[in-house]
Amino acid sequence: MYGVKDQLRAELDQIEADGLTKNERLITTPQSAHIGTTQGDALNFCANNYLGLANHPQVVDAAREALDEWGFGMASVRFICGTQTQHRDLERAIADFVGTQDAILFPSCFDANGAIFEVLLGAEDAVISDELNHASIIDGVRLSKARRFRYHNRDMDDLRSQLEAAREGDARRVMIVTDGAFSMDGYLAPLEQICDLAEEFGAMVVVDDSHATGFVGEHGRGSHEACGVLDRVDILTGTLGKALGGGSGGFVAGPQEVVDLLKQRGRPYLFSNAVAPAVVAGSAKALELARDSDEPRRVLRRNAELFRSLMSEAGFELLPGEHPIVPVMFPGEDGARKASQVADAMLGRGVYVIAFSFPVVPKGQARIRVQLSAAHSEDDVRACVEAFRAARDEVG
Ligand SMILES: *Cc1c(COP(=O)(O)O)cnc(C)c1O
């Protein structure tokens, strides 16, 4: 390879020397609150399995039955011969749930975000993006020729300034794009103010609700429900890979014209395989379970509240909020090392959590991100808090 392998090795060595190597843990069981790993059993507090549907018996059954009824693979993109009636049914069910006219499935939400900006925005347009938006939004925006503006995380004064700048540039279309819930903080985007500003400046609002669809808002419809703007967000993107069964697939939900144009022009839709039949069926069942019962959401909220209150009592510093993402903060110079030592010590005690530090989060704001699930029992939550206490004592 003409010396390229040596160059790559040097790059890998540098990543290792910087302490940034990600080592994959090998899991030996289905995804669940309790998992087996090659290093022993663990209580799992780092999955996006918010509603506990990833290994729900009804979801697994639906997927298993779909193998018989619908077969294994599609071996086609959607528009050639890759659309079964169940693909369309799932799209309609998603649209119905999140409250839009229609929806379109993608192989992933990464792909949904890879399609939408290029299709909806040209060189005469502008896109204004929250600085903490997901990597797939950043990449998707790069694929469009629109002028790019960025505002500080959830900072509405800055958003106004950027809207003014975009309007001064005489943009044809202006789009504001934000995560509905930010994955490192569990904070919701201030969607009511964003929609107000959008109205004032004639801008579209696009929300990526990957960390919200199914469980945020009274009926789990998403961050737009939680913020009281169900009818004011123009377009939502989201994933089937988190709360809604955690299989794979993503979507764009919005007005008919948006969905129809994405079907004509969305490159990840046109040039990538259709979502597999069993995944469609399992996801449809997961969506149905999320829609038809508030009980898993109630359990999830109870778990998040219990965890937040027990951890606060134990003297840990948390970022405030109600989201089942609960960041346990380890501030200061020494925080990154401490957070990672505490996470290691907890794994030694059979509780799996992940520490994040710079560059994933700002310097001095290292944290352990805990993710609660409806699959956790009250005892699981208490065991996690106990492990935090013990690990803190051990690390000092
Ligand atoms: C997880 C996530 C994605 C990616 O979803 P996939 O379906 O796994 O590609 C996109 N956007 C946000 C905000 C996410 O949290």
Side-chain angles (χ1 to χ4, degrees), residues 22-238:
K22 295 180 209 29
N23 292 306
E24 279 175 23
R25 201 164 294 288
L26 296 180
I27 288 165
T28 55
T29 61
Q31 184 63 276
S32 179
H34 297 253
I35 55 173
T37 81
T38 49
Q39 287 145 302
D41 292 347
L43 249 173
N44 187 7
F45 281 90
C46 51
N48 302 311
N49 187 20
Y50 297 110
L51 295 175
L53 297 176
N55 192 36
H56 190 287
Q58 288 187 50
V59 173
V60 174
D61 279 350
R64 188 185 289 117
E65 283 161 21
L67 284 171
D68 292 330
E69 189 179 351
W70 296 104
F72 173 70
M74 288 314 299
S76 171
V77 297
R78 285 285 302 276
F79 82 94
I80 296 181
C81 53
T83 301
Q84 294 170 328
T85 50
Q86 62 159 351
H87 288 86
R88 275 304 289 146
D89 291 345
L90 177 56
E91 288 170 335
R92 291 205 187 88
I94 289 169
D96 199 45
F97 183 66
V98 302
T100 59
Q101 234 174 344
D102 202 354
I104 168 175
L105 284 174
F106 283 85
S108 68
C109 186
F110 204 105
D111 285 329
N113 289 335
I116 186 168
F117 305 100
E118 190 189 16
V119 169
L120 297 183
L121 303 174
E124 59 278 49
D125 302 321
V127 55
I128 309 177
S129 180
D130 188 291
E131 66 179 349
L132 291 191
N133 279 346
H134 190 261
S136 56
I137 295 177
I138 295 168
D139 287 10
V141 165
R142 279 192 194 133
L143 291 170
S144 87
K145 296 194 172 62
R147 289 185 61 205
R148 299 171 207 160
F149 299 84
R150 213 160 57 149
Y151 64 100
H152 295 307
N153 181 231
R154 299 174 300 122
D155 180 336
M156 294 298 99
D157 291 332
D158 195 22
L159 175 56
R160 173 180 288 280
S161 306
Q162 302 307 319
L163 280 161
E164 283 163 358
R167 277 296 168 212
E168 268 163 33
D170 216 19
R172 176 188 62 163
R173 299 173 188 161
V174 178
M175 176 192 283
I176 303 168
V177 58
T178 180
D179 283 16
F182 291 93
S183 65
M184 285 299 142
D185 306 318
Y187 291 155
L188 295 190
L191 290 183
E192 191 178 357
Q193 291 99 306
I194 289 175
C195 289
D196 287 346
L197 281 169
E199 227 167 82
E200 187 179 335
F201 286 87
M204 299 180 271
V205 177
V206 177
V207 173
D208 179 341
D209 241 359
S210 291
H211 280 288
T213 310
F215 61 97
V216 169
E218 192 185 349
H219 299 295
R221 299 173 76 181
S223 58
H224 58 330
E225 184 186 21
C227 296
V229 290
L230 260 180
D231 299 327
R232 297 179 68 200
V233 168
D234 298 297
I235 299 170
L236 291 134
T237 69

Side-chain angles (χ1 to χ4, degrees), residues 25 45-46 339-340 343 352-356 367-371:
R25 201 164 294 288
F45 281 90
C46 51
S340 117
Y352 189 17
V353 290
I354 301 280
F356 292 93
R367 66 199 64 181
I368 291 176
R369 180 179 71 174
V370 176
Q371 292 176 282

